[in-house]
Amino acid sequence: MTSSAERLPEGESTEHVRELVARGQQGDRDALEELYLIHFDRIYSYLHVSVGNRHDAEDLTTQTFLKMLESIGKFRWRSAPFSAWLFRIAHNLAMDHFRANRRWQPEEEVPEPQGSEERSAEDEALQSIGRQSMLELIDRLSPEQQQVLTLKFVFNFPNAEVATILGKTEGAIKSLQHRALVSLQKQISADK
């Protein structure tokens, strides 16, 4: 069964990525180069949004792919696709970058909101916010909320993969998403 979660450029199938990973694990340089080319743009974009500047994003992208080369032999196909594994590496490097620069203030993990209130707040926020304006408003959120919304709405990862990438539970991701969307809705209401 193929995973629709492996969002690849047109013409690149999950089976093809699986083949490339298998060949890469055997040391095939061409396969490793192709994996790099397939995933480079999305990893760089994610890191650029995460760290906020081109120079650091370029450095962290290079480090991500170096770690891929070092660790590809340990990669195993489980519930998450290869791209989620790469994003997890990139996320960890971004967090190390923030810790080194003392700019990262992680939020406390809060239990998932109860009831229909969550759904209506999300629906309201999503209906009020276009993709571009969302990116502008996201800058006002905490770094953790920014990452959840970026992975969900810019890179279109489902909650389970966002949880894998960020090393959190699905409930924590839903909670962060809910709080971020409520905050965005308040910003929109205040801007009107």
Side-chain angles (χ1 to χ4, degrees):
M1 185 168 144
T2 62
S3 168
S4 62
E6 185 86 36
R7 282 171 257 342
L8 301 167
E10 198 169 315
E12 296 294 338
S13 68
T14 301
E15 291 81 17
H16 182 64
V17 170
R18 281 183 176 269
E19 176 194 328
L20 292 172
V21 169
R23 287 177 32 211
Q25 288 175 326
Q26 300 301 315
D28 183 329
R29 293 176 64 139
D30 291 336
L32 292 167
E33 182 179 346
E34 194 169 342
L35 286 169
Y36 168 83
L37 293 172
I38 289 169
H39 294 94
F40 175 84
D41 288 339
R42 292 180 69 220
I43 295 293
Y44 172 78
S45 296
Y46 169 71
L47 288 167
H48 191 265
V49 168
S50 295
V51 299
N53 72 69
R54 184 182 58 81
H55 179 72
D56 289 343
E58 288 171 355
D59 286 348
L60 292 171
T61 300
T62 299
Q63 290 177 41
T64 298
F65 286 104
L66 286 173
K67 286 213 181 277
M68 178 195 80
L69 292 173
E70 293 169 0
S71 304
I72 196 163
K74 298 175 189 168
F75 174 75
R76 300 290 175 260
W77 292 97
R78 293 201 176 105
S79 60
F82 182 74
S83 61
W85 181 73
L86 276 179
F87 271 84
R88 177 75 180 158
I89 292 171
H91 169 74
N92 288 341
L93 288 168
M95 294 307 94
D96 290 346
H97 169 80
F98 282 117
R99 280 185 208 105
N101 292 302
R102 301 202 180 274
R103 293 189 300 216
W104 177 250
Q105 299 293 325
E107 293 186 281
E108 293 178 23
E109 238 178 80
V110 177
E112 186 175 342
Q114 299 289 322
S116 62
E117 175 184 306
E118 175 184 350
R119 190 77 241 153
S120 64
E122 289 177 15
D123 289 342
E124 222 175 290
L126 290 173
Q127 289 173 356
S128 301
I129 306 168
R131 187 175 226 181
Q132 183 57 39
S133 60
M134 178 183 273
L135 289 174
E136 294 165 4
L137 293 172
I138 283 175
D139 283 341
R140 300 180 195 166
L141 301 174
S142 74
E144 216 167 35
Q145 289 175 339
Q146 289 176 16
Q147 293 212 313
V148 168
L149 293 186
T150 300
L151 288 167
K152 292 260 318 155
F153 299 111
V154 176
F155 294 100
N156 299 316
F157 279 108
N159 286 341
E161 289 179 36
V162 174
T164 298
I165 292 166
L166 298 181
K168 297 192 174 296
T169 64
E170 252 186 276
I173 296 304
K174 289 177 184 176
S175 177
L176 279 166
Q177 176 184 328
H178 171 75
R179 288 182 297 164
L181 292 173
V182 167
S183 177
L184 289 173
Q185 186 61 41
K186 287 178 185 173
Q187 289 180 43
I188 290 168
S189 296
D191 289 348
K192 287 183 180 178

